PDB file of all heavy atoms in Angstrom:
ATOM      1  N   THR A 244      16.105  29.293  25.131  1.00 91.00           N
ATOM      2  CA  THR A 244      16.396  27.999  25.754  1.00 91.00           C
ATOM      3  C   THR A 244      17.382  28.146  26.902  1.00 91.00           C
ATOM      4  O   THR A 244      17.215  27.543  27.968  1.00 91.00           O
ATOM      5  CB  THR A 244      16.962  27.023  24.709  1.00 91.00           C
ATOM      6  OG1 THR A 244      15.993  26.832  23.671  1.00 91.00           O
ATOM      7  CG2 THR A 244      17.298  25.678  25.333  1.00 91.00           C
ATOM      8  N   ILE A 245      18.414  28.969  26.702  1.00 89.00           N
ATOM      9  CA  ILE A 245      19.452  29.145  27.722  1.00 89.00           C
ATOM     10  C   ILE A 245      18.876  29.871  28.930  1.00 89.00           C
ATOM     11  O   ILE A 245      19.057  29.447  30.079  1.00 89.00           O
ATOM     12  CB  ILE A 245      20.637  29.948  27.150  1.00 89.00           C
ATOM     13  CG1 ILE A 245      21.143  29.306  25.854  1.00 89.00           C
ATOM     14  CG2 ILE A 245      21.741  30.061  28.175  1.00 89.00           C
ATOM     15  CD1 ILE A 245      21.536  27.877  25.978  1.00 89.00           C
ATOM     16  N   ALA A 246      18.187  30.976  28.679  1.00 90.00           N
ATOM     17  CA  ALA A 246      17.638  31.777  29.773  1.00 90.00           C
ATOM     18  C   ALA A 246      16.605  30.986  30.585  1.00 90.00           C
ATOM     19  O   ALA A 246      16.621  31.008  31.824  1.00 90.00           O
ATOM     20  CB  ALA A 246      17.010  33.048  29.221  1.00 90.00           C
ATOM     21  N   THR A 247      15.725  30.281  29.901  1.00 91.00           N
ATOM     22  CA  THR A 247      14.672  29.537  30.598  1.00 91.00           C
ATOM     23  C   THR A 247      15.244  28.385  31.408  1.00 91.00           C
ATOM     24  O   THR A 247      14.806  28.117  32.536  1.00 91.00           O
ATOM     25  CB  THR A 247      13.642  29.008  29.580  1.00 91.00           C
ATOM     26  OG1 THR A 247      13.078  30.111  28.869  1.00 91.00           O
ATOM     27  CG2 THR A 247      12.536  28.244  30.274  1.00 91.00           C
ATOM     28  N   SER A 248      16.231  27.688  30.858  1.00 89.00           N
ATOM     29  CA  SER A 248      16.862  26.589  31.591  1.00 89.00           C
ATOM     30  C   SER A 248      17.539  27.093  32.851  1.00 89.00           C
ATOM     31  O   SER A 248      17.431  26.482  33.924  1.00 89.00           O
ATOM     32  CB  SER A 248      17.890  25.884  30.691  1.00 89.00           C
ATOM     33  OG  SER A 248      18.590  24.893  31.424  1.00 89.00           O
ATOM     34  N   TYR A 249      18.229  28.229  32.745  1.00 89.00           N
ATOM     35  CA  TYR A 249      18.906  28.812  33.913  1.00 89.00           C
ATOM     36  C   TYR A 249      17.874  29.182  34.979  1.00 89.00           C
ATOM     37  O   TYR A 249      18.058  28.899  36.167  1.00 89.00           O
ATOM     38  CB  TYR A 249      19.696  30.036  33.484  1.00 89.00           C
ATOM     39  CG  TYR A 249      20.484  30.689  34.613  1.00 89.00           C
ATOM     40  CD1 TYR A 249      21.780  30.282  34.896  1.00 89.00           C
ATOM     41  CD2 TYR A 249      19.938  31.712  35.377  1.00 89.00           C
ATOM     42  CE1 TYR A 249      22.513  30.875  35.921  1.00 89.00           C
ATOM     43  CE2 TYR A 249      20.653  32.307  36.409  1.00 89.00           C
ATOM     44  CZ  TYR A 249      21.941  31.891  36.672  1.00 89.00           C
ATOM     45  OH  TYR A 249      22.652  32.479  37.687  1.00 89.00           O
ATOM     46  N   LYS A 250      16.799  29.789  34.548  1.00 89.00           N
ATOM     47  CA  LYS A 250      15.753  30.205  35.495  1.00 89.00           C
ATOM     48  C   LYS A 250      15.122  28.994  36.189  1.00 89.00           C
ATOM     49  O   LYS A 250      14.871  29.007  37.406  1.00 89.00           O
ATOM     50  CB  LYS A 250      14.670  31.001  34.760  1.00 89.00           C
ATOM     51  CG  LYS A 250      13.493  31.450  35.660  1.00 89.00           C
ATOM     52  CD  LYS A 250      12.503  32.279  34.869  1.00 89.00           C
ATOM     53  CE  LYS A 250      11.279  32.618  35.722  1.00 89.00           C
ATOM     54  NZ  LYS A 250      11.624  33.481  36.857  1.00 89.00           N
ATOM     55  N   ASN A 251      14.872  27.938  35.444  1.00 89.00           N
ATOM     56  CA  ASN A 251      14.183  26.769  35.991  1.00 89.00           C
ATOM     57  C   ASN A 251      15.080  25.876  36.841  1.00 89.00           C
ATOM     58  O   ASN A 251      14.608  25.242  37.798  1.00 89.00           O
ATOM     59  CB  ASN A 251      13.575  25.936  34.864  1.00 89.00           C
ATOM     60  CG  ASN A 251      12.429  26.653  34.168  1.00 89.00           C
ATOM     61  OD1 ASN A 251      11.845  27.581  34.709  1.00 89.00           O
ATOM     62  ND2 ASN A 251      12.107  26.228  32.955  1.00 89.00           N
ATOM     63  N   ASN A 252      16.371  25.828  36.499  1.00 85.00           N
ATOM     64  CA  ASN A 252      17.241  24.837  37.127  1.00 85.00           C
ATOM     65  C   ASN A 252      18.318  25.399  38.045  1.00 85.00           C
ATOM     66  O   ASN A 252      18.860  24.649  38.874  1.00 85.00           O
ATOM     67  CB  ASN A 252      17.926  23.987  36.036  1.00 85.00           C
ATOM     68  CG  ASN A 252      16.924  23.248  35.183  1.00 85.00           C
ATOM     69  OD1 ASN A 252      16.018  22.606  35.696  1.00 85.00           O
ATOM     70  ND2 ASN A 252      17.084  23.334  33.864  1.00 85.00           N
ATOM     71  N   ILE A 253      18.659  26.678  37.905  1.00 86.00           N
ATOM     72  CA  ILE A 253      19.785  27.205  38.673  1.00 86.00           C
ATOM     73  C   ILE A 253      19.401  28.393  39.540  1.00 86.00           C
ATOM     74  O   ILE A 253      19.682  28.433  40.734  1.00 86.00           O
ATOM     75  CB  ILE A 253      20.951  27.588  37.735  1.00 86.00           C
ATOM     76  CG1 ILE A 253      21.422  26.353  36.950  1.00 86.00           C
ATOM     77  CG2 ILE A 253      22.109  28.186  38.535  1.00 86.00           C
ATOM     78  CD1 ILE A 253      22.526  26.631  35.959  1.00 86.00           C
ATOM     79  N   ASN A 254      18.771  29.384  38.963  1.00 84.00           N
ATOM     80  CA  ASN A 254      18.485  30.609  39.709  1.00 84.00           C
ATOM     81  C   ASN A 254      17.148  31.180  39.240  1.00 84.00           C
ATOM     82  O   ASN A 254      17.043  31.707  38.127  1.00 84.00           O
ATOM     83  CB  ASN A 254      19.613  31.625  39.496  1.00 84.00           C
ATOM     84  CG  ASN A 254      19.481  32.841  40.390  1.00 84.00           C
ATOM     85  OD1 ASN A 254      18.411  33.140  40.902  1.00 84.00           O
ATOM     86  ND2 ASN A 254      20.579  33.547  40.578  1.00 84.00           N
ATOM     87  N   SER A 255      16.154  31.100  40.094  1.00 87.00           N
ATOM     88  CA  SER A 255      14.819  31.570  39.719  1.00 87.00           C
ATOM     89  C   SER A 255      14.676  33.088  39.842  1.00 87.00           C
ATOM     90  O   SER A 255      13.632  33.638  39.491  1.00 87.00           O
ATOM     91  CB  SER A 255      13.753  30.895  40.600  1.00 87.00           C
ATOM     92  OG  SER A 255      13.947  31.229  41.967  1.00 87.00           O
ATOM     93  N   HIS A 256      15.727  33.761  40.321  1.00 88.00           N
ATOM     94  CA  HIS A 256      15.638  35.201  40.563  1.00 88.00           C
ATOM     95  C   HIS A 256      15.951  36.030  39.315  1.00 88.00           C
ATOM     96  O   HIS A 256      16.673  37.029  39.378  1.00 88.00           O
ATOM     97  CB  HIS A 256      16.556  35.600  41.713  1.00 88.00           C
ATOM     98  CG  HIS A 256      16.235  34.905  43.000  1.00 88.00           C
ATOM     99  ND1 HIS A 256      15.014  35.022  43.628  1.00 88.00           N
ATOM    100  CD2 HIS A 256      16.969  34.052  43.760  1.00 88.00           C
ATOM    101  CE1 HIS A 256      15.020  34.291  44.727  1.00 88.00           C
ATOM    102  NE2 HIS A 256      16.195  33.684  44.824  1.00 88.00           N
ATOM    103  N   ILE A 257      15.471  35.580  38.194  1.00 91.00           N
ATOM    104  CA  ILE A 257      15.576  36.354  36.964  1.00 91.00           C
ATOM    105  C   ILE A 257      14.211  36.391  36.298  1.00 91.00           C
ATOM    106  O   ILE A 257      13.333  35.566  36.585  1.00 91.00           O
ATOM    107  CB  ILE A 257      16.620  35.780  35.971  1.00 91.00           C
ATOM    108  CG1 ILE A 257      16.251  34.357  35.549  1.00 91.00           C
ATOM    109  CG2 ILE A 257      18.025  35.857  36.537  1.00 91.00           C
ATOM    110  CD1 ILE A 257      17.097  33.819  34.405  1.00 91.00           C
ATOM    111  N   LYS A 258      14.043  37.333  35.403  1.00 92.00           N
ATOM    112  CA  LYS A 258      12.799  37.481  34.643  1.00 92.00           C
ATOM    113  C   LYS A 258      13.136  37.322  33.158  1.00 92.00           C
ATOM    114  O   LYS A 258      14.081  37.950  32.662  1.00 92.00           O
ATOM    115  CB  LYS A 258      12.208  38.864  34.911  1.00 92.00           C
ATOM    116  CG  LYS A 258      11.062  39.262  34.006  1.00 92.00           C
ATOM    117  CD  LYS A 258       9.751  38.660  34.435  1.00 92.00           C
ATOM    118  CE  LYS A 258       8.592  39.230  33.610  1.00 92.00           C
ATOM    119  NZ  LYS A 258       7.312  38.620  33.939  1.00 92.00           N
ATOM    120  N   VAL A 259      12.419  36.477  32.466  1.00 92.00           N
ATOM    121  CA  VAL A 259      12.612  36.253  31.032  1.00 92.00           C
ATOM    122  C   VAL A 259      11.460  36.928  30.292  1.00 92.00           C
ATOM    123  O   VAL A 259      10.293  36.586  30.506  1.00 92.00           O
ATOM    124  CB  VAL A 259      12.667  34.750  30.700  1.00 92.00           C
ATOM    125  CG1 VAL A 259      12.830  34.547  29.196  1.00 92.00           C
ATOM    126  CG2 VAL A 259      13.799  34.075  31.462  1.00 92.00           C
TER     127      VAL A 259
END
Side-chain angles (χ1 to χ4, degrees):
T244 300
I245 307 304
T247 301
S248 175
Y249 182 89
K250 178 178 175 65
N251 292 340
N252 300 311
I253 300 178
N254 188 340
S255 62
H256 301 300
I257 61 170
K258 169 80 173 177
V259 178

